[in-house]
Amino acid sequence: MTASTTGAQRFREFKMPDVGEGLTEAEILKWYVQPGDTVTDGQVICEVETAKAAVELPIPYDGVVHALHFDEGVTVDVGTAIIAVDTDPGAGPAPESAAPVVDATAAPAGEEADAEPQGRQAVLVGYGAAPASTKRRARKPQPGAPAGVQTGVQTGVPAQPEPVNAMLQAELNGRPAAAAPVAPVAPAPQDGRPLAKPPVRKLAKDLGIDLATIAPTGPGGIITREDVHAAAAPAPSVAVAPAPAAVAPAEAGVVDTAARERRVPVKGVRKATAQAMVNSAFTAPHVTEFITVDVTRTMKLVQQLKQDPDMAGVRVNPLLLVAKALLVAIKRHPEVNAAWDEANQEIVYKDYINLGIAAATPRGLIVPNIKDAGVKTLPQLAAELGELVSTAREGKTSPAAMSGGTVTITNVGVFGVDTGTPILNPGESAILAFGAVKLQPWVHKGKVKARQVTTLALSFDHRLVDGELGSKLLADVAAILEHPKRLITWG
């Protein structure tokens, strides 16, 4: 790149991409780079969490990181610039006029994004002083200030009033401090705009607080959320009595539980799961049927397959054979494998089976699926099932792996429960719950014996699956698990 390269060409803004399925926002979980780091085309710069999974984002060009526009933990709309990269760092120091400007979409809804003031560099969010580790040009002393003294260094906000410092020192020395005078209103910086991050500005706007009236306590004179909350709280009255007033005892039977409660924002996978379950429960008419079955022979087959050389290197467990049994049963009743098209008022019958496996992860419940599971051999199915579960637990499942499912299995038995009434994954026709396998008394060949027994529950969309069809499907799954040789005779 030549020296004549313009600032607009030199500095590139990388925007939050749509990582799939039409998602509108993502939360920045972790930055892998910092301002000043060198990056190359294809290098992963951060990890973000969408409504479906955690995804690593690569940068599409070479250069040096100029600025990160958002902190970790911030949710950003798709299309908003999140990082600025200097693609020609050898051209010399960045001209002030070429400093990248954060996209207008980075500002909270209802608040206009201002252009970056001259003489400042963009920080993580908003505008103002960079962190203390960043080199900056010293601000010129204001007229009338003593030599060597700068008022409002880097921020335009005066230092904390002396009476407050004296009050703090008195507290540290163990002496009672006199009541501090009301803190003066902090003047706005020279550009007329107080320094605060977009979420803090939105909070102040929601609370009806003028940022210009708040004295900042954050590093570099930035107004923090605590500052806004303090400004919104009513001013405490100062007691003038020589002795503190006696605290009235709490009313008998009244317990304050607020201090023992936690509130966590609903976002990411948890938010998507909640929306999907509500939509499914109140859209598709659910019917759930149950059956209890002797799976002793299936459990013996599991142990035999673990010793089979053809199954070496893959995990063999009861869930694998339940999955295979469901696939064989669907082949016998293909009408179950369908979807309801509300817009066109059509039933879409599918000649492929994308088998979903509900997986509990630290971020919430997700349902990735095995594509074309119906045509896979048992070793292939075992390998993909193991990879699917491990990837889900690591939080690395891609959005593509969670789309296009047709039926699902949820293994509630791993939690020790007998069964449940599962809710359909949106767009699917059926979901099978596999309960815990327990040793129970069972009539076997005319005698009561201890057998390994489990309970299956099948929920289905009654718009697509009639009671007869759903009952036949569940009965076939149970028959296969009772006599697993039917995997061969029926498969």
Side-chain angles (χ1 to χ4, degrees):
M1 187 174 292
T2 64
S4 61
T5 302
T6 64
Q9 295 173 328
R10 174 178 171 181
F11 292 92
R12 303 285 297 275
E13 297 274 16
F14 179 68
K15 299 180 179 181
M16 179 68 73
D18 178 359
V19 294
E21 295 296 302
L23 301 173
T24 60
E25 63 183 17
E27 177 187 353
I28 298 175
L29 294 180
K30 184 176 182 180
W31 282 109
Y32 296 125
V33 297
Q34 294 296 324
D37 291 351
T38 300
V39 294
T40 57
D41 186 359
Q43 177 181 338
V44 174
I45 58 168
C46 67
E47 182 182 20
V48 301
E49 182 183 34
T50 68
K52 293 190 174 182
V55 180
E56 293 182 335
L57 299 183
I59 195 76
Y61 30 76
D62 301 336
V64 173
V65 177
H66 180 70
L68 306 179
H69 296 326
F70 295 94
D71 287 321
E72 294 176 353
V74 176
T75 299
V76 182
D77 291 338
V78 169
T80 301
I82 60 174
I83 184 174
V85 175
D86 182 354
T87 59
D88 189 16
E96 297 177 1
S97 60
V101 179
V102 181
D103 245 19
T105 53
E111 181 177 332
E112 297 182 358
D114 296 336
E116 183 178 4
Q118 295 293 328
R120 295 188 180 181
Q121 290 182 324
V123 291
L124 291 180
V125 283
Y127 302 94
S133 59
T134 305
K135 296 181 180 180
R136 294 184 51 82
R137 186 180 72 251
R139 184 185 294 274
K140 293 181 180 181
Q142 296 183 0
V149 178
Q150 295 184 20
T151 59
V153 176
Q154 295 185 337
T155 66
V157 178
Q160 191 177 31
E162 184 61 29
V164 177
N165 293 332
M167 184 178 180
L168 175 61
Q169 187 61 44
E171 292 284 351
L172 294 175
N173 293 337
R175 300 193 303 269
V182 178
V185 175
Q190 292 180 352
D191 59 5
R193 191 181 192 213
L195 303 178
K197 297 180 181 180
V200 177
R201 294 183 181 278
K202 184 176 186 302
L203 175 62
K205 183 177 180 180
D206 293 341
L207 297 178
I209 304 299
D210 185 358
L211 289 176
T213 65
I214 300 177
T217 63
I222 295 179
I223 297 173
T224 65
R225 295 179 65 91
E226 291 72 17
D227 296 338
V228 176
H229 283 301
S237 58
V238 179
V240 296
V247 179
E251 184 179 349
V254 177
V255 179
D256 182 12
T257 60
R260 294 182 291 167
E261 296 177 347
R262 292 182 299 114
R263 291 181 177 267
V264 179
V266 180
K267 57 185 178 180
V269 175
R270 177 62 61 190
K271 181 178 180 180
T273 301
Q275 292 174 342
M277 293 299 97
V278 170
N279 291 340
S280 176
F282 292 98
T283 300
H286 285 57
V287 173
T288 304
E289 295 184 340
F290 307 88
I291 190 169
T292 303
V293 58
D294 177 5
V295 293
T296 304
R297 293 185 180 90
T298 291
M299 299 304 290
K300 290 181 179 179
L301 179 58
V302 169
Q303 297 304 318
Q304 294 171 0
L305 289 174
K306 288 182 178 180
Q307 308 301 321
D308 194 316
D310 291 334
M311 302 299 288
V314 297
R315 184 179 181 184
V316 179
N317 55 23
L319 178 62
L320 172 63
L321 294 187
V322 172
K324 191 64 177 178
L326 178 60
L327 294 172
V328 171
I330 291 176
K331 285 184 180 180
R332 289 168 56 85
H333 306 285
E335 299 86 359
V336 171
N337 195 41
W340 184 272
D341 187 344
E342 181 67 26
N344 296 316
Q345 287 295 293
E346 295 176 341
I347 297 176
V348 182
Y349 292 100
K350 301 179 180 181
D351 297 328
Y352 58 91
I353 305 173
N354 291 344
L355 180 63
I357 304 294
T361 73
R363 296 188 177 96
L365 177 70
I366 63 174
V367 188
N369 59 77
I370 301 173
K371 309 298 183 187
D372 282 320
V375 299
K376 298 187 182 300
T377 64
L378 194 63
Q380 291 173 338
L381 188 64
E384 293 210 21
L385 183 61
E387 181 180 359
L388 178 148
V389 173
S390 62
T391 302
R393 289 175 178 170
E394 294 171 0
K396 303 299 182 182
T397 304
S398 67
M402 290 184 286
S403 62
T406 59
V407 295
T408 291
I409 296 176
T410 175
N411 186 11
V412 297
V414 295
F415 305 111
V417 301
D418 294 333
T419 191
T421 54
I423 297 177
L424 292 168
N425 205 32
E428 299 183 7
S429 59
I431 179 171
L432 179 70
F434 174 35
V437 177
K438 297 181 179 180
L439 199 63
Q440 296 182 9
W442 193 265
V443 177
H444 177 67
K445 296 181 178 179
K447 296 181 179 180
V448 177
K449 296 183 178 181
R451 304 287 288 181
Q452 291 176 295
V453 177
T454 190
T455 300
L456 305 174
L458 180 72
S459 293
F460 50 86
D461 186 343
H462 215 344
R463 298 174 300 179
L464 299 165
V465 181
D466 294 333
E468 178 186 7
L469 180 59
S471 299
K472 287 182 177 180
L473 178 71
L474 182 59
D476 278 2
V477 174
I480 293 172
L481 294 177
E482 186 174 9
H483 299 282
K485 66 181 182 181
R486 286 174 173 147
L487 288 172
I488 300 174
T489 58
W490 289 359

